[in-house]
Amino acid sequence: MKKNIKQISKKAYHYGVQLVAVGALTGFFAGLVVTLYNVLAHMAEEFSAGYYGFFREHPAFIPLLFLALAVGAIVVGGVLRFIPMIRGSGIPQTEGATRGLLRFKWYQVLTGMFAASLFTIFMGLSAGSEGPSIQIGGACGYGTSDLLRRNEMIRRYQITGGACTGLAVAFNAPLTGMAFAFEEAHKRFTPEVFVCSFISVVVGIITRNVLRPLMGLSVGATFTTFQFPQSADFLFCLYVLFAAAVCGLCGVGFYFLVFRAKKLFAKITFWKGTGKMLIPFLMAGVFGLITVNVMGGGHDFIESLGSGSAGVERVFSSPLWATLLIVVVLKFTVSITNMGAGVPCGVFIPMLAIGAGLGALLSLLCVRMGMDPAFADALVMICMAAFFTTVVKAPITAIVMVVELTWNFTFLLPVILGVAVGYLLGDVFRTEPIYDKLLDGILEEKRASEPMLKIIARLKVGKETPASGRAVRDVLWPSDALVVSLSRGGQTIVPDGETVLLEGDIIIVTGETTEEADYKKTLVSTAGELVEWQASPYQAEEEAPADEAE
């Protein structure tokens, strides 16, 4: 017994060292690439705002703009035909890879998303860099794993580390990146996820903060124009409840309209589906000529809402409330269109911009109703978090993000209150996390084109495998894998998540997959020697075993 414990401890030590090492390499690679990407994205956003200004001042040249947008739509549509894994923001695909549900060629995804999303920003679309940063970071983790020839379990941890590093570097928000790893990528907390994400994020942020000064850029907080009083009173909490409820309802509408738009765009098949890109690109041209606030991700728009800024650029010299309403409606519409069509661009920051715009509108209303104007900036941030939470269903990420983006802890309780209202409204209207729902759609397309197999495997746990000496729930099994039986010393037991697997155990694992060879390889590398293997066509009416592996 003591010998087994000593072997398990030694193995855990070497495994932990391996995670730290690969996490550091992933963080450096992802930090380097994502920092470069975000600098170029900011430059592309500034350049597009400049030449749209030229077209506003010289309307005779506007037809050239729309001609360029049409050509750009065809180019992007063609790229998506060859690299379909970069459709949309890339976050659902990355989450699928971290859970072992999807595989992709990392070099194609990295270069494809890098170039295509930068192109959409350059063309003036409502496109953020945060979503693509997550996929680019995940691809960096995937690539590091391939180059180091790590097993499937380590690869998924590296993809997780790269993805959360991408978000952390894009926002300069390390805690937000780590919260994303637990709440979105894996939807669970384990020591391995913590170690890999922590090391990757720390190294990635250090890499970012070393590179940016060398480029003459600052490394400070993202939103610096917001000012907050020292404390919040009970009356302000009532205003928070009202404003968060309005933002939550708007978030529910946004959620359902996105999937309605996806169904409508799925019916557009001319030019083998490439033609659907014309709609979001031409729409971006129209909206960009109306106001610069609709273009890009929305960082500048959110910054302009703070009381420490020069103010929002007015639309056609309209009053502030009308400008805010126009920007929110246009941003809302174009973001839904981009997601529906699958434009390779980020919608993470555009969603925050919509929530912040709604917050600015509601703060004007609440001030009219008697709210102290000193609380206006805080209400904008809370509404931003509430809208995001309703759509994405990631409350912890939203709370941590608001704190990190403003570096203010005073209004933590009102932020939690607003996020809770947004989350509850999502539950009332039965919305799912939008990235999970989008991932389900990708998997359904995959199943429609590839036959699904039901797998039953009997394996003998090996000495040096990741499963040996670990609890069932702590093993990163292949997607949909369930450990339904365990035999040890002639005795058969039904394992639960706390059951520790030991060398020599015989386990039965069931699962479903469209890629039999990869699934078999992953199971063997995770658990050990394959004793028996059965693969049969999946029947939808079959019920899965009740005992789960994780």
Side-chain angles (χ1 to χ4, degrees):
M1 182 68 179
K2 290 182 178 179
K3 184 179 179 181
N4 283 338
I5 294 174
K6 186 176 180 180
Q7 288 178 343
I8 291 171
S9 299
K10 184 178 180 181
K11 180 173 177 257
Y13 170 77
H14 288 299
Y15 187 70
V17 170
Q18 182 182 185
L19 278 180
V20 170
V22 298
L25 287 172
T26 297
F28 175 74
F29 187 23
L32 183 67
V33 175
V34 174
T35 298
L36 175 62
Y37 169 76
N38 277 272
V39 170
L40 292 175
H42 181 69
M43 292 170 61
E45 191 170 330
E46 288 187 335
F47 189 81
S48 64
Y51 74 73
Y52 267 77
F54 170 82
F55 285 114
R56 290 190 204 99
E57 296 174 1
H58 303 84
F61 293 99
I62 287 178
L64 292 177
L65 170 64
F66 286 97
L67 177 61
L69 287 168
V71 173
I74 295 171
V75 170
V76 170
V79 171
L80 292 180
R81 286 184 57 198
F82 291 102
I83 316 177
M85 285 295 289
I86 64 171
R87 288 181 301 176
S89 68
I91 295 178
Q93 296 92 318
T94 307
E95 290 185 359
T98 64
R99 300 172 196 171
L101 297 169
L102 292 174
R103 292 175 179 270
F104 53 77
K105 295 179 180 179
W106 67 270
Y107 48 88
Q108 283 188 350
V109 167
L110 193 158
T111 55
M113 178 56 88
F114 194 107
S117 59
L118 278 180
F119 184 72
T120 60
I121 296 172
F122 176 79
M123 297 301 290
L125 274 70
S126 176
S129 60
E130 286 69 23
S133 293
I134 291 172
Q135 188 175 40
I136 290 169
C140 289
Y142 204 130
T144 306
S145 173
D146 273 5
L147 294 174
L148 296 176
R149 300 183 182 278
R150 299 295 89 189
N151 60 41
E152 177 69 15
M153 190 173 181
I154 298 295
R155 174 185 290 118
R156 287 166 62 186
Y157 284 133
Q158 286 188 259
I159 296 171
T160 303
C164 61
T165 299
L167 179 60
V169 169
F171 273 138
N172 191 28
L175 294 179
T176 302
M178 285 187 279
F180 176 86
F182 306 133
E183 196 171 32
E184 273 294 305
H186 285 277
K187 295 191 179 297
R188 64 175 181 169
F189 179 91
T190 67
E192 291 78 13
V193 174
F194 172 76
V195 168
C196 202
S197 62
F198 175 79
I199 296 298
S200 297
V201 165
V202 168
V203 174
I205 288 291
I206 291 173
T207 303
R208 172 196 185 273
N209 291 347
V210 168
L211 288 175
R212 286 182 67 89
L214 295 177
M215 300 176 185
L217 302 171
S218 65
V219 297
T222 301
F223 301 132
T224 58
T225 60
F226 290 85
Q227 300 174 0
F228 307 97
Q230 294 300 314
S231 61
D233 54 24
F234 175 75
L235 185 59
F236 175 66
C237 291
L238 296 180
Y239 288 115
V240 168
L241 289 174
F242 164 70
V246 174
C247 289
L249 291 174
C250 291
V252 170
F254 182 90
Y255 173 89
F256 286 110
L257 286 172
V258 164
F259 292 102
R260 179 60 179 166
K262 287 187 72 66
K263 289 181 180 179
L264 293 175
F265 275 104
K267 298 177 181 179
I268 301 175
T269 57
F270 69 92
W271 290 348
K272 296 183 179 180
T274 301
K276 72 175 67 175
M277 289 294 130
L278 287 171
I279 297 174
F281 271 75
L282 297 179
M283 181 182 290
V286 175
F287 290 177
L289 291 173
I290 293 174
T291 173
V292 70
N293 291 314
V294 181
M295 301 169 60
H299 289 92
D300 291 342
F301 173 65
I302 297 174
E303 277 276 277
S304 70
L305 299 176
S307 57
S309 72
V312 181
E313 182 178 317
R314 302 303 173 91
V315 179
F316 305 133
S317 301
S318 59
L320 178 59
W321 69 267
T323 292
L324 290 172
L325 182 60
I326 292 170
V327 172
V328 168
V329 170
L330 296 184
K331 197 80 172 174
F332 191 95
T333 303
V334 76
S335 297
I336 289 171
T337 305
N338 288 346
M339 294 185 75
V343 178
C345 65
V347 292
F348 197 104
I349 191 72
M351 284 194 291
L352 298 182
I354 293 169
L358 286 169
L361 269 171
L362 290 166
S363 68
L364 293 177
L365 176 61
C366 290
V367 168
R368 288 286 187 93
M369 295 166 59
M371 185 184 78
D372 187 341
F375 294 127
D377 285 6
L379 194 64
V380 171
M381 288 287 104
I382 292 169
C383 288
M384 182 180 78
F387 183 87
F388 175 85
T389 301
T390 305
V391 178
V392 181
K393 304 296 281 287
I396 296 175
T397 302
I399 294 168
V400 173
M401 178 173 59
V402 168
V403 171
E404 279 199 294
L405 294 185
T406 60
W407 290 104
N408 186 282
F409 295 85
T410 305
F411 287 84
L412 185 59
L413 182 59
V415 169
I416 294 173
L417 182 62
V419 165
V421 171
Y423 190 89
L424 289 173
L425 277 172
D427 275 355
V428 168
F429 288 92
R430 299 182 180 180
T431 63
E432 301 175 36
I434 193 166
Y435 293 127
D436 285 356
K437 185 74 171 178
L438 291 169
L439 174 59
D440 289 342
I442 295 170
L443 295 175
E444 286 176 11
E445 291 178 8
K446 184 179 179 183
R447 294 188 187 106
S449 60
E450 303 175 18
M452 177 69 72
L453 298 174
K454 182 175 180 63
I455 303 300
I456 301 177
R458 186 186 299 271
L459 302 112
K460 183 178 181 179
V461 178
K463 180 179 179 181
E464 299 297 332
T465 58
S468 177
R470 303 171 64 81
V472 171
R473 63 176 174 81
D474 290 335
V475 179
L476 208 59
W477 299 99
S479 59
D480 299 322
L482 305 173
V483 179
V484 297
S485 178
L486 184 152
S487 298
R488 180 184 297 164
Q491 185 178 11
T492 300
I493 62 175
V494 178
D496 58 22
E498 300 295 330
T499 303
V500 176
L501 301 178
L502 302 176
E503 178 188 354
D505 288 349
I506 302 296
I507 59 174
I508 297 177
V509 180
T510 65
E512 301 163 8
T513 184
T514 58
E515 300 173 350
E516 182 180 356
D518 285 338
Y519 203 87
K520 182 186 293 186
K521 181 180 178 181
T522 302
L523 272 178
V524 171
S525 64
T526 302
E529 179 186 349
L530 184 63
V531 178
E532 184 180 351
W533 179 266
Q534 296 179 21
S536 57
Y538 173 76
Q539 301 294 327
E541 64 272 11
E542 290 181 6
E543 293 184 1
D547 303 290
E548 298 188 357
E550 299 179 24

